[in-house]
Amino acid sequence: MGGMAANDSGTIVVVEDDPNIADLLDLYLRQAGYRVIQATTGEAGLAAVERERPRMVILDVGLPGSLDGLDVCRSIRAKSDLPVLMLTARDTEIDRILGLELGADDYVTKPFSPREIVARVKAILRRAETPAKATLPELLQAGDVSVDVARREARINGEVIALATREFDLLAFFGGNQGLVLSRQQLLDGVWGVGWYGDERTVDVHVRQLRKKLGDAFPLKTVFGVGYRLN
Ligand code: CA
């Protein structure tokens, strides 16, 4: 390429205390056209989010100081839908992040390839900034859950159930494909997007969250060895 990166794809705040990882992300994200602001503590990360109004945050779970990545994610979510990609040191942390229902958009386990991060960033931004799928009707019934796709609300007996972005998308996708066996890969393609480079276990953890929140009202069957089917 040569010359300077365009830096016209918007700002990303990278909150990571390991300078090697932060610099590597900085390099690849700049090459992809993003402006990168680095922060090494949770406090500095939150300040950068306030100041820079980024399009997205990449957030390490393990941070020095009084706020770790989970605290920072919670704090961001309390105020906005700003996309958050979390970096975790261990696979087991993913379950913990999901268990806390922080509403992060995606998770990457270290070590990762910087190219993979760039691909995920693009996929998250595309998804976050694309309106709900036009092919879905605005209102769906998924078991005893009524799904208002346009307003992004799920209700059981009239009561709104709080769902994370991805959980809602997954519910709407199941609702729009009732009676069909959906493989994990089909779910990844349909909900996470075809450009998403994740492992299929991600689907299972999100399904688990949905089942936990919706209970018997959501009659999703596990089709052993294949995937899932609603009704
Ligand atoms: Ca760290």
Side-chain angles (χ1 to χ4, degrees), residues 16-18 60 62-63 110:
E16 167 63 83
D17 58 306
D18 181 328
D60 187 31
L63 293 170
K110 296 175 184 177

Side-chain angles (χ1 to χ4, degrees), residues 94-95 98 103-107 163-168 170-171 174 188 191-192 196 199-213 218 220 228:
I94 294 180
D95 281 347
L98 287 168
D105 294 80
D106 209 345
Y107 323 89
L163 296 177
T165 306
R166 191 63 58 82
E167 292 163 3
F168 184 87
L170 193 57
L171 172 65
F174 278 124
L188 283 176
V191 176
W192 278 255
W196 197 79
D199 98 53
E200 297 189 349
R201 206 179 67 104
T202 304
V203 172
D204 298 329
V205 276
H206 281 84
V207 163
R208 202 157 65 224
Q209 287 297 118
L210 259 188
R211 281 177 162 154
K212 205 166 91 185
K213 290 186 177 178
F218 182 54
L220 186 73
Y228 297 97

Side-chain angles (χ1 to χ4, degrees), residues 54-139:
R55 277 179 85 190
M56 173 162 180
V57 179
I58 298 177
L59 182 57
D60 187 31
V61 171
L63 293 170
S66 56
L67 298 178
D68 67 11
L70 306 180
D71 299 322
V72 173
C73 185
R74 198 178 286 116
S75 180
I76 290 171
R77 263 305 152 274
K79 292 183 188 165
S80 76
D81 289 330
L82 179 65
V84 176
L85 170 62
M86 301 212 71
L87 306 178
T88 74
R90 287 181 305 279
D91 218 31
T92 51
E93 279 180 353
I94 294 180
D95 281 347
R96 186 158 165 250
I97 296 170
L98 287 168
L100 290 171
E101 300 180 15
L102 296 171
D105 294 80
D106 209 345
Y107 323 89
V108 176
T109 308
K110 296 175 184 177
F112 49 75
S113 104
R115 284 178 205 284
E116 182 190 352
I117 298 278
V118 171
R120 297 256 190 132
V121 163
K122 288 181 177 170
I124 291 168
L125 289 175
R126 202 165 51 233
R127 204 166 48 231
E129 293 165 9
T130 304
K133 288 189 177 59
T135 50
L136 287 176
E138 293 204 342
L139 292 167

